[in-house]
Coordinates of all heavy atoms in Angstrom, one line a residue:
M21 N -12.4 16.4 -8.7 CA -12.5 15.7 -7.5 C -12.5 14.2 -7.8 O -11.8 13.4 -7.1 CB -13.8 16.0 -6.8 CG -13.8 17.4 -6.1 SD -12.9 17.3 -4.6 CE -14.2 17.6 -3.4
V22 N -13.2 13.8 -8.8 CA -13.3 12.4 -9.2 C -11.9 11.9 -9.7 O -11.5 10.8 -9.4 CB -14.4 12.1 -10.2 CG1 -14.4 10.7 -10.7 CG2 -15.7 12.5 -9.7
T23 N -11.2 12.8 -10.4 CA -9.9 12.4 -10.9 C -8.9 12.1 -9.7 O -8.1 11.1 -9.8 CB -9.3 13.5 -11.7 OG1 -10.2 13.8 -12.8 CG2 -8.0 13.1 -12.3
I24 N -9.0 12.9 -8.7 CA -8.1 12.6 -7.5 C -8.5 11.3 -6.8 O -7.6 10.6 -6.4 CB -8.2 13.8 -6.5 CG1 -7.7 15.1 -7.1 CG2 -7.5 13.5 -5.2 CD1 -8.0 16.3 -6.3
L25 N -9.8 11.0 -6.7 CA -10.2 9.8 -6.2 C -9.7 8.6 -7.0 O -9.3 7.6 -6.5 CB -11.7 9.7 -6.0 CG -12.3 8.5 -5.4 CD1 -11.8 8.4 -3.9 CD2 -13.8 8.5 -5.4
Q26 N -9.8 8.7 -8.3 CA -9.3 7.7 -9.2 C -7.8 7.5 -9.1 O -7.3 6.3 -9.1 CB -9.6 8.0 -10.7 CG -11.1 7.9 -11.0 CD -11.4 8.3 -12.4 OE1 -10.6 9.0 -13.0 NE2 -12.6 8.0 -12.9
L27 N -7.0 8.6 -8.9 CA -5.6 8.4 -8.7 C -5.3 7.8 -7.4 O -4.4 6.9 -7.3 CB -4.9 9.8 -8.7 CG -4.8 10.5 -10.1 CD1 -4.3 11.9 -10.0 CD2 -3.9 9.6 -11.0
L28 N -6.0 8.1 -6.3 CA -5.8 7.5 -5.0 C -6.1 6.0 -5.1 O -5.4 5.1 -4.6 CB -6.7 8.1 -4.0 CG -6.3 9.5 -3.4 CD1 -7.4 10.1 -2.6 CD2 -5.0 9.3 -2.7
A29 N -7.2 5.6 -5.8 CA -7.6 4.2 -5.9 C -6.6 3.5 -6.7 O -6.2 2.3 -6.4 CB -9.0 4.1 -6.5
S30 N -6.1 4.1 -7.8 CA -5.1 3.4 -8.6 C -3.8 3.2 -7.9 O -3.2 2.1 -8.0 CB -4.8 4.3 -9.9 OG -6.0 4.4 -10.7
S31 N -3.4 4.2 -7.1 CA -2.1 4.0 -6.3 C -2.3 3.0 -5.3 O -1.4 2.2 -5.0 CB -1.7 5.3 -5.7 OG -2.7 5.8 -4.9
L32 N -3.5 2.9 -4.7 CA -3.8 1.8 -3.7 C -3.7 0.4 -4.4 O -3.2 -0.5 -3.8 CB -5.1 2.1 -3.1 CG -5.6 1.1 -2.0 CD1 -4.6 1.2 -0.8 CD2 -7.0 1.4 -1.5
I33 N -4.3 0.3 -5.5 CA -4.2 -1.0 -6.2 C -2.8 -1.4 -6.6 O -2.4 -2.5 -6.5 CB -5.1 -0.9 -7.5 CG1 -6.6 -0.9 -7.1 CG2 -4.9 -2.1 -8.4 CD1 -7.6 -0.5 -8.2
L34 N -2.0 -0.4 -7.1 CA -0.7 -0.6 -7.5 C 0.2 -1.0 -6.3 O 0.9 -2.0 -6.3 CB -0.1 0.6 -8.2 CG 1.4 0.5 -8.6 CD1 1.4 -0.6 -9.8 CD2 1.9 1.8 -9.1
L35 N 0.0 -0.3 -5.2 CA 0.8 -0.7 -3.9 C 0.4 -2.0 -3.4 O 1.2 -2.8 -2.9 CB 0.6 0.4 -2.9 CG 1.3 0.2 -1.6 CD1 2.8 0.2 -1.8 CD2 1.0 1.3 -0.6
S36 N -0.9 -2.3 -3.5 CA -1.4 -3.7 -3.1 C -0.8 -4.8 -3.9 O -0.3 -5.8 -3.3 CB -2.9 -3.8 -3.2 OG -3.6 -2.8 -2.3
F37 N -0.7 -4.6 -5.2 CA -0.1 -5.6 -6.0 C 1.4 -5.7 -5.7 O 1.9 -6.9 -5.6 CB -0.2 -5.2 -7.5 CG 0.4 -6.1 -8.5 CD1 -0.2 -7.4 -8.7 CD2 1.6 -5.8 -9.1 CE1 0.4 -8.3 -9.5 CE2 2.1 -6.7 -10.0 CZ 1.6 -8.0 -10.2
V38 N 2.1 -4.6 -5.5 CA 3.5 -4.7 -5.1 C 3.7 -5.4 -3.8 O 4.6 -6.3 -3.7 CB 4.1 -3.3 -5.0 CG1 5.5 -3.3 -4.4 CG2 4.2 -2.7 -6.4
L39 N 2.9 -5.2 -2.8 CA 3.0 -5.9 -1.5 C 2.6 -7.3 -1.6 O 3.3 -8.2 -1.0 CB 2.1 -5.2 -0.5 CG 2.6 -3.8 0.0 CD1 1.6 -3.1 0.9 CD2 3.9 -3.9 0.7
V40 N 1.6 -7.7 -2.4 CA 1.2 -9.1 -2.5 C 2.3 -9.9 -3.2 O 2.5 -11.1 -2.8 CB -0.1 -9.2 -3.3 CG1 -0.4 -10.6 -3.9 CG2 -1.3 -8.7 -2.5
V41 N 3.0 -9.3 -4.1 CA 4.1 -10.0 -4.8 C 5.4 -10.0 -4.0 O 6.1 -10.9 -3.8 CB 4.3 -9.5 -6.2 CG1 5.6 -10.1 -6.8 CG2 3.1 -9.7 -7.1
G42 N 5.7 -8.8 -3.4 CA 7.0 -8.6 -2.8 C 7.2 -9.2 -1.4 O 8.2 -9.7 -1.1
V43 N 6.1 -9.1 -0.6 CA 6.3 -9.6 0.8 C 6.5 -11.1 0.8 O 7.5 -11.6 1.5 CB 5.1 -9.2 1.6 CG1 5.1 -9.9 3.0 CG2 5.0 -7.7 1.8
P44 N 5.8 -12.0 0.1 CA 6.2 -13.4 0.1 C 7.6 -13.7 -0.4 O 8.2 -14.6 0.1 CB 5.1 -14.0 -0.8 CG 3.9 -13.1 -0.7 CD 4.5 -11.8 -0.6
V45 N 8.0 -12.9 -1.4 CA 9.4 -13.1 -1.9 C 10.4 -12.8 -0.9 O 11.4 -13.5 -0.7 CB 9.6 -12.3 -3.2 CG1 11.0 -12.3 -3.6 CG2 8.7 -12.8 -4.3
I46 N 10.2 -11.7 -0.1 CA 11.1 -11.3 0.9 C 11.1 -12.4 2.1 O 12.1 -12.7 2.6 CB 10.7 -9.9 1.5 CG1 11.0 -8.9 0.5 CG2 11.4 -9.6 2.8 CD1 10.5 -7.5 0.8
L47 N 9.9 -12.9 2.4 CA 9.8 -13.8 3.5 C 10.5 -15.2 3.1 O 11.0 -15.9 4.0 CB 8.4 -14.1 3.9 CG 7.7 -12.9 4.6 CD1 6.2 -13.2 4.8 CD2 8.4 -12.5 5.9
V48 N 10.4 -15.6 1.9 CA 11.0 -16.9 1.5 C 12.5 -16.8 1.3 O 13.2 -17.8 1.5 CB 10.3 -17.3 0.2 CG1 11.0 -18.5 -0.5 CG2 8.8 -17.7 0.4
S49 N 13.0 -15.6 0.8 CA 14.4 -15.5 0.6 C 15.2 -15.6 1.9 O 14.9 -14.9 2.9 CB 14.7 -14.2 -0.1 OG 14.0 -14.1 -1.3
P50 N 16.2 -16.4 2.0 CA 17.0 -16.5 3.2 C 17.7 -15.2 3.5 O 18.5 -14.7 2.7 CB 18.0 -17.7 2.9 CG 17.8 -18.0 1.5 CD 16.7 -17.3 0.9
G51 N 17.5 -14.8 4.7 CA 18.2 -13.6 5.2 C 17.7 -12.3 4.8 O 18.2 -11.2 5.2
E52 N 16.7 -12.3 3.9 CA 16.1 -11.0 3.4 C 15.2 -10.3 4.4 O 15.1 -9.1 4.3 CB 15.3 -11.3 2.1 CG 16.2 -11.4 0.9 CD 16.9 -10.1 0.5 OE1 16.3 -9.0 0.6 OE2 18.1 -10.2 0.3
W53 N 14.6 -11.1 5.3 CA 13.7 -10.4 6.2 C 14.4 -9.4 7.1 O 13.9 -8.3 7.4 CB 13.0 -11.5 7.1 CG 12.1 -10.9 8.2 CD1 12.3 -11.0 9.5 CD2 11.0 -10.1 8.0 NE1 11.4 -10.3 10.2 CE2 10.5 -9.7 9.3 CE3 10.3 -9.6 6.9 CZ2 9.4 -8.9 9.5 CZ3 9.2 -8.8 7.1 CH2 8.7 -8.4 8.3
E54 N 15.6 -9.8 7.6 CA 16.3 -8.9 8.4 C 16.7 -7.6 7.7 O 16.7 -6.5 8.3 CB 17.6 -9.5 9.0 CG 17.3 -10.6 10.0 CD 16.9 -11.9 9.4 OE1 17.2 -12.2 8.2 OE2 16.3 -12.7 10.1
K55 N 17.0 -7.7 6.4 CA 17.4 -6.5 5.6 C 16.2 -5.7 5.2 O 16.3 -4.5 5.2 CB 18.1 -7.0 4.3 CG 19.4 -7.7 4.5 CD 20.0 -8.1 3.2 CE 21.0 -9.2 3.3 NZ 21.4 -9.7 2.0
S56 N 15.1 -6.3 4.9 CA 13.9 -5.6 4.3 C 12.8 -5.4 5.3 O 11.7 -5.0 4.8 CB 13.4 -6.4 3.1 OG 14.5 -6.6 2.2
K57 N 13.0 -5.7 6.6 CA 11.9 -5.6 7.5 C 11.3 -4.2 7.5 O 10.1 -4.0 7.5 CB 12.4 -6.0 8.9 CG 11.4 -5.9 10.0 CD 11.8 -6.5 11.3 CE 13.3 -6.5 11.6 NZ 13.6 -6.9 12.9
N58 N 12.2 -3.1 7.6 CA 11.7 -1.7 7.6 C 10.9 -1.4 6.3 O 10.0 -0.6 6.4 CB 12.8 -0.8 7.8 CG 13.4 -0.9 9.2 OD1 12.7 -1.3 10.2 ND2 14.7 -0.6 9.4
L59 N 11.4 -1.9 5.2 CA 10.7 -1.6 3.9 C 9.3 -2.2 3.9 O 8.3 -1.6 3.5 CB 11.5 -2.2 2.8 CG 11.0 -1.9 1.4 CD1 11.0 -0.4 1.1 CD2 11.8 -2.6 0.4
V60 N 9.1 -3.4 4.5 CA 7.8 -4.1 4.5 C 6.9 -3.3 5.5 O 5.7 -3.0 5.1 CB 7.9 -5.5 5.0 CG1 6.6 -6.1 5.2 CG2 8.7 -6.3 3.9
Y61 N 7.4 -2.9 6.6 CA 6.6 -2.1 7.6 C 6.2 -0.8 7.0 O 5.1 -0.3 7.2 CB 7.3 -2.0 8.9 CG 7.4 -3.2 9.7 CD1 8.5 -3.5 10.5 CD2 6.4 -4.2 9.7 CE1 8.6 -4.7 11.3 CE2 6.5 -5.4 10.4 CZ 7.5 -5.6 11.2 OH 7.6 -6.7 11.9
T62 N 7.1 -0.1 6.3 CA 6.8 1.2 5.7 C 5.7 1.0 4.6 O 4.8 1.8 4.5 CB 8.1 1.8 5.1 OG1 9.1 1.9 6.1 CG2 7.8 3.1 4.4
G63 N 5.9 0.0 3.8 CA 4.9 -0.3 2.8 C 3.5 -0.6 3.3 O 2.5 -0.1 2.8
A64 N 3.5 -1.3 4.4 CA 2.2 -1.6 5.1 C 1.6 -0.4 5.7 O 0.3 -0.2 5.6 CB 2.4 -2.7 6.2
G65 N 2.4 0.5 6.3 CA 1.9 1.7 6.8 C 1.4 2.6 5.7 O 0.3 3.3 5.9
L66 N 2.1 2.7 4.6 CA 1.7 3.5 3.5 C 0.3 3.0 2.9 O -0.6 3.8 2.6 CB 2.7 3.5 2.4 CG 2.5 4.4 1.2 CD1 2.4 5.8 1.6 CD2 3.6 4.2 0.2
W67 N 0.2 1.7 2.8 CA -1.0 1.1 2.3 C -2.2 1.4 3.3 O -3.3 1.8 2.8 CB -0.9 -0.5 2.3 CG -2.0 -1.2 1.7 CD1 -2.3 -1.4 0.4 CD2 -3.1 -1.7 2.4 NE1 -3.5 -2.0 0.3 CE2 -4.0 -2.2 1.5 CE3 -3.4 -1.8 3.8 CZ2 -5.2 -2.8 1.9 CZ3 -4.6 -2.4 4.2 CH2 -5.5 -2.9 3.2
F68 N -2.0 1.3 4.6 CA -3.0 1.6 5.5 C -3.4 3.1 5.4 O -4.6 3.4 5.5 CB -2.6 1.3 6.9 CG -3.6 1.5 8.0 CD1 -4.7 0.6 8.1 CD2 -3.6 2.5 8.9 CE1 -5.7 0.8 9.0 CE2 -4.5 2.7 9.8 CZ -5.6 1.8 9.9
G69 N -2.4 4.0 5.3 CA -2.7 5.4 5.2 C -3.5 5.7 3.9 O -4.4 6.5 3.9
L70 N -3.1 5.0 2.8 CA -3.9 5.2 1.5 C -5.3 4.7 1.6 O -6.2 5.4 1.1 CB -3.2 4.5 0.4 CG -2.1 5.3 -0.4 CD1 -1.4 4.3 -1.4 CD2 -2.7 6.4 -1.1
V71 N -5.5 3.7 2.4 CA -6.9 3.2 2.6 C -7.7 4.2 3.3 O -8.9 4.6 3.0 CB -6.9 1.8 3.3 CG1 -8.3 1.5 3.8 CG2 -6.4 0.7 2.4
I72 N -7.2 4.8 4.4 CA -7.9 5.8 5.2 C -8.1 7.1 4.4 O -9.2 7.6 4.4 CB -7.1 6.1 6.5 CG1 -6.9 4.8 7.4 CG2 -7.7 7.2 7.3 CD1 -8.2 4.3 7.8
I73 N -7.1 7.5 3.7 CA -7.2 8.8 2.9 C -8.2 8.6 1.8 O -9.1 9.4 1.5 CB -5.9 9.2 2.3 CG1 -5.0 9.7 3.4 CG2 -6.0 10.3 1.2 CD1 -3.5 9.9 3.0
T74 N -8.2 7.4 1.1 CA -9.1 7.1 0.0 C -10.6 7.1 0.6 O -11.5 7.6 -0.1 CB -8.8 5.8 -0.7 OG1 -7.4 5.9 -1.2 CG2 -9.7 5.6 -1.9
A75 N -10.8 6.4 1.7 CA -12.1 6.3 2.3 C -12.6 7.7 2.7 O -13.8 8.0 2.5 CB -12.1 5.4 3.5
A76 N -11.7 8.5 3.3 CA -12.2 9.9 3.7 C -12.5 10.7 2.5 O -13.5 11.5 2.5 CB -11.1 10.5 4.6
F77 N -11.7 10.7 1.5 CA -11.9 11.5 0.3 C -13.2 11.0 -0.4 O -13.9 11.8 -1.0 CB -10.7 11.4 -0.6 CG -10.7 12.4 -1.7 CD1 -10.3 13.7 -1.4 CD2 -11.2 12.2 -3.0 CE1 -10.3 14.7 -2.3 CE2 -11.2 13.2 -3.9 CZ -10.7 14.4 -3.6
N78 N -13.4 9.7 -0.4 CA -14.6 9.1 -1.0 C -15.9 9.7 -0.4 O -16.9 9.9 -1.0 CB -14.6 7.6 -1.0 CG -15.7 7.0 -1.8 OD1 -16.1 7.6 -2.8 ND2 -16.1 5.8 -1.5
S79 N -15.9 9.9 0.9 CA -17.0 10.4 1.6 C -17.4 11.8 1.2 O -18.5 12.3 1.3 CB -16.9 10.3 3.1 OG -15.9 11.2 3.5
F80 N -16.4 12.6 0.7 CA -16.6 13.9 0.2 C -17.1 14.0 -1.2 O -17.8 14.9 -1.6 CB -15.4 14.8 0.4 CG -15.0 15.1 1.8 CD1 -13.7 14.7 2.2 CD2 -15.8 15.7 2.6 CE1 -13.4 14.9 3.5 CE2 -15.4 16.0 3.9 CZ -14.2 15.6 4.4
V81 N -16.7 13.0 -2.0 CA -17.0 13.0 -3.4 C -18.5 12.5 -3.6 O -19.2 13.1 -4.4 CB -16.1 12.1 -4.2 CG1 -16.5 11.9 -5.6 CG2 -14.7 12.7 -4.2
I82 N -18.9 11.5 -2.9 CA -20.2 11.0 -3.2 C -21.3 11.7 -2.4 O -21.2 12.2 -1.4 CB -20.2 9.5 -2.8 CG1 -19.4 8.7 -3.8 CG2 -21.6 8.9 -2.9 CD1 -19.3 7.3 -3.6

């Protein structure tokens, strides 16, 4: 159980890092927002889902 929680937390940290680096690069690049808008929204939705799943799973572990 703890291993699954660690994997969820690690994936959340990795996705957060990717979004923190990637989103500003997409916003600054000319014309990239129109191409990558769906990718940014999908990443944000995935991040939010991972936060909820990790929090729910954490309540069962502790």
